[in-house]
Amino acid sequence: MKIKNKYSGLRDFFILWSSQAVSELGTAMTNFALIIWVYSQEGTASSITFLTLCSFLPTILFRFIAGAIADRWNKKRIMLLADLMAACGTLTVLILYSLSALQVWHLYVINFLLSFMNAFQSPASYVATSLLVPKEHYLKVSGLQSFSGSVITILAPALGSSLLAFGGMP
């Protein structure tokens, strides 16, 4: 008698899921560190509010259009482009900070652009997941995605503040 693995057929999903989780954790940690930095520079809640607005407004405004576009375009390319833009945004912040040229308005622009890219990445990831996963595994996959989202929400501030405390902003 052959024993069937309850996770068979999910190899591609696990690769996508783990890479997206690592990417989301890095982005969340960076955003947390930048909020702390903005507050240390400006000392106002309005500067953090505007940074948060720049981080979420494009996603909210463009998610519907981006979802329709993600259905028609290559999901893999959309996710790779969005992750590449996130890496470029983080690298730009690092370079500007290293040169002592980082200004708060730079972060507003960078977060706005990254949020715009996230509007495309999330729908593409969801569609790619539905294409990779057999229907009988949808419930498990949904639970795993919810779990990783919750873990990232909890770990990002903890890891971000730990890195700031022991390593500083660089």
Side-chain angles (χ1 to χ4, degrees), residues 34-47:
L34 292 177
I35 287 170
I36 301 290
W37 185 82
V38 166
Y39 187 73
S40 72
Q41 297 297 305
E42 299 287 315
T44 63
S46 61
S47 60

Side-chain angles (χ1 to χ4, degrees), residues 56-99:
F56 291 108
L57 188 62
T59 299
I60 293 168
L61 293 177
F62 296 108
R63 174 83 40 106
F64 298 108
I65 297 167
I69 292 171
D71 280 341
R72 291 172 178 77
W73 289 357
N74 184 322
K75 286 90 179 131
K76 189 177 190 180
R77 285 190 180 149
I78 291 172
M79 290 185 293
L80 288 172
L81 180 63
D83 280 339
L84 178 66
M85 292 298 292
C88 288
T90 303
L91 185 62
T92 301
V93 170
L94 177 65
I95 290 169
L96 289 171
Y97 181 80
S98 298
L99 297 173

Side-chain angles (χ1 to χ4, degrees), residues 21-36 147-165:
V22 169
S23 173
E24 288 174 26
L25 179 63
T27 300
M29 287 173 52
T30 302
N31 286 341
F32 182 78
L34 292 177
I35 287 170
I36 301 290
F147 174 74
S148 66
S150 299
V151 168
I152 289 167
T153 301
I154 294 168
L155 279 182
L159 292 175
S161 59
S162 297
L163 287 173
L164 274 174

